[in-house]
Amino acid sequence: GTPINILENIALGVDMFDCVMPTRNARNGMLFTAHGTINIKNKKWEDDFSPIDEMGITFVDTEYSKAYLRHLFSVNELLGKQIATIHNLGFYLWLVR
């Protein structure tokens, strides 16, 4: 589920999850952040050289910029999907901690 769904279910006592959303959405360019979701494929990220996520939850968040990640998606480079997946999985781990 979405980050909100995860938090709601934790509040209800659920303690085990099986969710493909972080990886599936990452492969399609959707990144989860503490400030909401972003679609890295959008043109507005083309010249944004800020970190993927300023919170720096995972190593990819500070090693790569939004512009670089967008470029990888625009040329259909698999590394882009891998970076986005690492970010989203790290975000979900941070969320449930």
Side-chain angles (χ1 to χ4, degrees), residues 53-96:
D53 191 342
E54 289 79 19
M55 289 182 57
I57 296 168
T58 68
F59 75 95
V60 298
D61 296 337
T62 53
E63 286 289 318
Y64 303 105
S65 69
K66 291 180 185 97
Y68 179 66
L69 186 54
R70 183 192 181 280
H71 164 73
L72 293 175
F73 270 91
S74 68
V75 296
N76 204 26
E77 171 59 50
L78 290 179
L79 178 60
K81 295 176 182 191
Q82 292 171 330
I83 291 170
T85 296
I86 291 168
H87 164 78
N88 278 356
L89 288 174
F91 174 81
Y92 267 64
L93 287 172
W94 169 82
L95 183 70
V96 298

Side-chain angles (χ1 to χ4, degrees), residues 1-80:
T2 65
I4 279 292
N5 295 143
I6 299 290
L7 294 177
E8 288 171 344
N9 283 288
I10 289 171
L12 294 171
V14 176
D15 61 1
M16 187 158 81
F17 301 93
D18 182 15
C19 180
V20 299
M21 185 172 269
T23 54
R24 180 185 298 144
N25 286 13
R27 290 190 309 269
N28 290 299
M30 178 189 249
L31 304 178
F32 294 102
T33 72
H35 305 292
T37 58
I38 64 171
N39 183 349
I40 202 66
K41 294 179 179 181
N42 288 349
K43 187 161 178 65
K44 73 179 188 176
W45 307 117
E46 187 173 39
D47 295 316
D48 186 340
F49 293 94
S50 66
I52 294 171
D53 191 342
E54 289 79 19
M55 289 182 57
I57 296 168
T58 68
F59 75 95
V60 298
D61 296 337
T62 53
E63 286 289 318
Y64 303 105
S65 69
K66 291 180 185 97
Y68 179 66
L69 186 54
R70 183 192 181 280
H71 164 73
L72 293 175
F73 270 91
S74 68
V75 296
N76 204 26
E77 171 59 50
L78 290 179
L79 178 60

